Amino acid sequence: YCLLLFTLILFVLLPADEATGYGPVFEEQPVDTIYPEESPEAKITMNCRARANPPATYKWMLNNIEIDLNEKGSHYSLVGGNLVISNPSKNNHVGKYSCLATNMYGTIISREASVQFGYLDLFSSEERSSVRIKEGQGAVLLCAPPPHYPAELSFRWILNEFPTFIPLDKRRFISQLTGNLYISKVDSSDKGNYSCIASSPSISKSVFSNYIPLEPQAERTNRKYPADLRVKFPDTTALVGQNITLECFALGNPVPEIRWKKVDGQLPPNHEVRMAGAQLHLYNVQFEDGGTYKCEAMNSKGKDNHNARVSVEAFPEWVEHISSIEKDLNSDYTMSCTASGKPKPHIRWLKNGKPVVGYIIILTFDDSGMYQCIAENHHGLIYANAELRVYACAPTFEHNPVKRVLAARNGRVVIECRPKAAPKPTFSWSKDTELLSNSTRVFIWEDGSLEILNVTRADEGRYTCFAENDRGKANSTGSLLVTDSTKITLPPSNADVKVGENAWMECAASHDPSLDITFIWSLDSRVIDLHKESQHYERTPKIRNMTNGSSNGALLIKNAQLKHAGRYTCTAQTPVDNITASAHLVVRGPPGAPGGVRMINKTDKSVTLQWSRGADNHSPISKYTIQYRDQFSKDVWKNATTSPADVEGNTETATVVDLFPWTEYEFRVIATNTLGTGDPSSPSPKDKTLDSVPVVAPSGVGGGGGASRELTITWTPVEPQYYYGPNFGYIVAFKPREENQWKRVAVADPQAKRYVHKDSNIRPLTEFQVKVKAFNGKGEGPYSLTAVIYSAQDAPSEAPLIVDCRALSATVATVSWIPLAQSNIDGYQVKYWRNHEDSEGGAQRVMVSSRENHTKLEGLKPDSPYFIEIRGYNSAGFGMASKHYQIHTKKPPPSRAPRIISKKLKGQSVNIAWEHVEPLANESSIDGYRVLYRQQGHSTGTLYTTSRRYIDLPLPADGNYVVEVRAHTEGGDGAMAQIHLTGKLRFRCLTLS
């Protein structure tokens, strides 16, 4: 007889033979829901389903208050366990919902789930002001997203019309935090109307802002601006396992480069730099990824940086939680829950949905029920559910009788006695008809098990366990059979091999002939998986010697490697006992990696290294090789030059020479012995050599040209590895050829390529001698070779005279002019724009060589007035503009094609006829027709001109031909009609259009 109380089940049921009923276990719980305010579906469904026997009944809570489903006019209804909210409203149905599932064994409450109403309003209808920015400067276009919920939006921008999206690159960036569009350096191609698209993924809605006109203003000179960070990521808190994105973007000219660093360590391996450097994406964030992150923007004019902290916290996670259990009446039991998380979670308890203190000492029937442990911090909460069932019953062996047991002679055996009983019973044992008591060889454990030491054949027999408590008593009988013990007859022997050789480990054992034997091999206590490691390990087939009952389990170690050295243990195991024997395998091979490589002394061109020996792997180290890599060679390791040149195997220091000053290096050491070269050590900490005076001069010194009254000096910058120290820059020296005194100017930018000297007294095309040298904080280096250059010439002082300008058609015009007499002309610029539709700032330009005095203007608009002007130019700039010349393009040709109405065979020719094309009012009048007769697949053929509406063409003897008919006007040729002909004394029309 068994009195059972209500047990707690966590996600699994009790076995059917233990209890037919059980308390609720959630299979589906409500989740956070965002209901779009504009949703066509006028209901919200919150799911709840629990497995229970008998089936559960359900109630729902809103903000911890029970929902009255029977209230008149209620919007709530219950479908199964699901809560349906009909015609939901923001004022009445926002809040936190939870579901209660109940049956006779108790009640559990679901996790809380929120209901919120999602919306995304339209952008403000106010017009957006134009943004006027000089070319070369940076621009920020503000998105100003409208009110919305939830907070997460994604942003894109369109240019002029949908769906022309702004491409993102090094120059353009859209912040996904604010929606703003950033252009680091504006140029003329950025002109247009911009609109911000804000999209809410939660409610699948997007809205567009009014257009923002961006008007780049032309600059005569391309001014440079230092990097200026405008997007700076804030201090950020991430959850363990989340992905996060940090944003940084800078304005500047040239376009700045963005670099990312972790101030207090290396960037984590789970990072990715996106958007041409503007985003740092961290995948699957872990606690060690927390710290201070830095983004640095730099160009040739300067740099800017920003630091902010990333803190990593964690959602609660169970370390230990409750699980369903059956316990004896009046037994001791303590419920325990432990959770990790950051901040540390708070633990609270529920019994049947009501708060309780979370521990139980002496159990009574009233303690049975459904228990829930809840761990919570400000990131969220987790539930553990379980059923506790308190019971009492007389002992029974129905499900766990005493079993037949085998024991090895001279060994130890335990016969278990585990009846189901509550409260705990008392135990006694008998062998055959003899009652047993504790002795030096026989012992009855507290849990009822019987232990026998030094087993002999006399211990064989039938054993009975008796169990009794205040509810009743029971017994169960099993038997003990004694077998021969297992013995190692051939133990493994120590072995010594070289890397790549084979080794044998012998092992044979005798055992009881009625038992199967298995051999298990382990290396340094780790069991060898012969299947997974078959490349290096092979077992001999188990051979049984029938005369002495001995079996062989030898192990072959193939192609031995250093990792295979160690203590090998053979375990001979039967179902009754086991025995082991061990031997050592020595594997001789190349040395292990040296350790602790560090710099102990350094100069500008050398460092002294120290390290500790690695394992010699049973063969003395003969020499060491030192390798280095620097900040410029990335991941390429190179052999270093040392003093002395050969580093002997008995030393642990060496000096590396022939290094570059003020360069960051790391070093590693590799050991070699007669058996080969080992793995390299871990790299030494990075460190810089000392600084020194530069020794490399800039190359490619030259220049000349530029604007009027300027002297432009250019050079090829020195590579960074030759800076040799901080505060690197250039000294530029120059003088007119006939003077003796050099003028010196310092340029502090190490990446500078030019210097422009402006002086109103410089005469055009004056000969100068120039030279450049490098300097740093230690001093100045040698000058480059002296170069001869010339100051800039003056811009053209005269304006060209236009002599002829005419429209050839609706889209093409020609213009010609009298060349300028000046000798310093590099070419001419022809500028043209429509009189009313285009502003002069949007004019188109054609550049023409100084050898030409005419050009063709194409791509014009039909029937439009155009202004045309011409000016000469050279390296100093543009000269005076000619007077504006006005033309008017022709009306466009007919937009309709002639309709071919007939074709007739006339001897060896074919007659093609078409209807007259009547031009529209805005189209040019018809001068005649042009007929192109060509072989199919060819672009050229015979062109005919006629004023008639028909033409006779020679019939082709063979092949396929095409006839194209167009109306001809002063505005050009109109739309085309086409007909196909086939030769061989017959023809057919394939296509007529």
Side-chain angles (χ1 to χ4, degrees), residues 165 213 249 270 430 471 514 592 686 698 775 849 949 954:
F165 294 107
F249 191 75
N270 51 323
S430 70
R471 306 257 167 182
S514 65
K686 295 179 180 179
F775 72 88
S849 164
R949 299 175 194 172

Side-chain angles (χ1 to χ4, degrees), residues 721-939:
Q721 59 262 43
Y722 298 106
Y723 288 175
Y724 283 15
N727 304 318
F728 185 86
Y730 303 97
I731 293 174
V732 181
F734 55 93
K735 70 179 183 69
R737 186 176 185 88
E738 66 275 5
E739 294 185 11
N740 295 322
Q741 188 67 35
W742 292 84
K743 182 176 180 61
R744 287 166 44 111
V745 176
V747 178
D749 181 2
Q751 296 179 334
K753 301 177 181 179
R754 59 191 284 133
Y755 169 73
V756 179
H757 177 66
K758 300 182 179 181
D759 186 345
S760 60
N761 296 322
I762 295 180
R763 288 179 288 112
L765 298 175
T766 300
E767 183 179 330
F768 276 81
Q769 292 181 322
V770 297
K771 56 186 178 180
V772 185
K773 67 178 174 180
F775 72 88
N776 63 18
K778 276 286 189 178
E780 300 176 6
Y783 272 116
S784 67
L785 297 175
T786 301
V788 174
I789 64 173
Y790 293 87
S791 60
Q793 56 189 338
D794 283 337
S797 57
E798 298 177 9
L801 177 64
I802 297 177
V803 296
D804 184 46
C805 192
R806 67 182 68 183
L808 299 182
S809 69
T811 59
V812 179
T814 61
V815 58
S816 59
W817 58 92
I818 297 175
L820 293 174
Q822 294 175 261
S823 61
N824 63 339
I825 303 299
D826 291 343
Y828 299 92
Q829 180 198 68
V830 181
K831 185 166 74 172
Y832 55 100
W833 65 96
R834 284 193 293 178
N835 189 1
H836 302 296
E837 288 81 352
D838 299 335
S839 65
E840 188 174 352
Q844 294 177 277
R845 295 166 174 82
V846 174
M847 309 305 287
V848 181
S849 164
S850 62
R851 297 187 296 274
E852 303 289 338
N853 71 332
H854 58 86
T855 191
K856 185 181 289 186
L857 309 180
E858 298 177 316
L860 305 180
K861 301 290 185 183
D863 196 18
S864 299
Y866 275 86
F867 280 126
I868 300 173
E869 73 169 29
I870 305 175
R871 61 176 72 200
Y873 71 88
N874 59 21
S875 60
F878 292 94
M880 295 176 60
S882 68
K883 291 182 180 180
H884 292 173
Y885 199 104
Q886 187 169 9
I887 63 168
H888 199 288
T889 54
K890 310 291 187 181
K891 289 183 179 181
S895 56
R896 291 174 297 171
R899 190 169 75 88
I900 298 176
I901 57 176
S902 73
K903 60 171 181 10
K904 297 178 181 176
L905 184 63
K906 295 172 62 178
Q908 294 302 310
S909 65
V910 60
N911 177 268
I912 308 294
W914 56 86
E915 286 184 348
H916 177 63
V917 177
E918 190 63 43
L920 303 177
N922 63 340
E923 295 176 342
S924 296
S925 57
I926 305 294
D927 293 338
Y929 295 92
R930 291 188 174 184
V931 180
L932 178 64
Y933 186 37
R934 61 180 176 84
Q935 191 172 1
Q936 187 168 328
H938 293 69
S939 58

Side-chain angles (χ1 to χ4, degrees), residues 44 50 62 173 206 334 362 479 545 569 579 661 701 721 750 824 913 970 974:
I44 299 172
L62 171 58
F173 176 70
S206 298
T334 301
I362 304 298
S479 61
N545 187 325
T569 299
I579 190 167
V701 176
Q721 59 262 43
N824 63 339
E970 67 172 3

Side-chain angles (χ1 to χ4, degrees), residues 364-556:
T364 69
F365 287 131
D366 290 339
D367 293 319
S368 295
M370 304 299 299
Y371 287 82
Q372 291 177 284
C373 174
I374 303 169
E376 180 176 14
N377 64 15
H378 64 250
H379 295 300
L381 50 84
I382 52 176
Y383 288 76
N385 306 334
E387 182 181 350
L388 173 65
R389 184 171 296 181
V390 180
Y391 73 98
C393 67
T396 174
F397 287 92
E398 180 182 357
H399 300 294
N400 197 15
V402 176
K403 297 178 176 60
R404 176 176 179 269
V405 178
L406 297 177
R409 192 168 51 186
N410 300 322
R412 167 185 173 273
V413 67
V414 174
I415 307 174
E416 291 187 344
C417 179
R418 298 190 182 281
K420 183 171 184 179
K424 182 180 177 181
T426 58
F427 298 96
S428 60
W429 282 84
S430 70
K431 176 180 181 290
D432 298 326
T433 58
E434 175 191 358
L435 189 65
L436 300 177
S437 59
N438 290 338
S439 67
T440 56
R441 257 189 0 105
V442 179
F443 185 73
I444 301 174
W445 291 1
E446 187 179 352
D447 68 358
S449 299
L450 177 67
E451 179 182 26
I452 305 174
L453 304 178
N454 299 322
V455 175
T456 67
R457 294 282 185 186
D459 292 320
E460 288 186 334
R462 293 170 55 81
Y463 287 81
T464 303
C465 176
F466 300 90
E468 182 177 359
N469 66 8
D470 61 0
R471 306 257 167 182
K473 57 186 176 180
N475 63 75
S476 178
T477 300
S479 61
L480 173 64
L481 178 66
V482 178
T483 65
D484 290 337
S485 57
T486 304
K487 297 178 182 177
I488 297 288
T489 57
L490 178 61
S493 301
N494 293 340
D496 188 324
V497 296
K498 294 178 182 178
V499 167
E501 294 180 343
N502 295 345
W504 276 98
M505 286 286 170
E506 299 287 354
C507 188
S510 63
H511 55 93
D512 191 291
S514 65
L515 301 176
D516 287 332
I517 189 169
T518 301
F519 290 90
I520 299 171
W521 284 92
S522 59
L523 170 58
D524 295 332
S525 300
R526 178 187 66 82
V527 174
I528 298 170
D529 187 325
L530 296 172
H531 177 69
K532 289 183 178 179
E533 301 179 67
S534 60
Q535 181 182 356
H536 291 286
Y537 292 108
E538 182 181 314
R539 269 281 314 281
T540 59
K542 184 171 67 176
I543 301 171
R544 177 109 178 240
N545 187 325
M546 300 304 294
T547 59
N548 61 10
S550 180
S551 296
N552 184 16
L555 177 70
L556 172 62

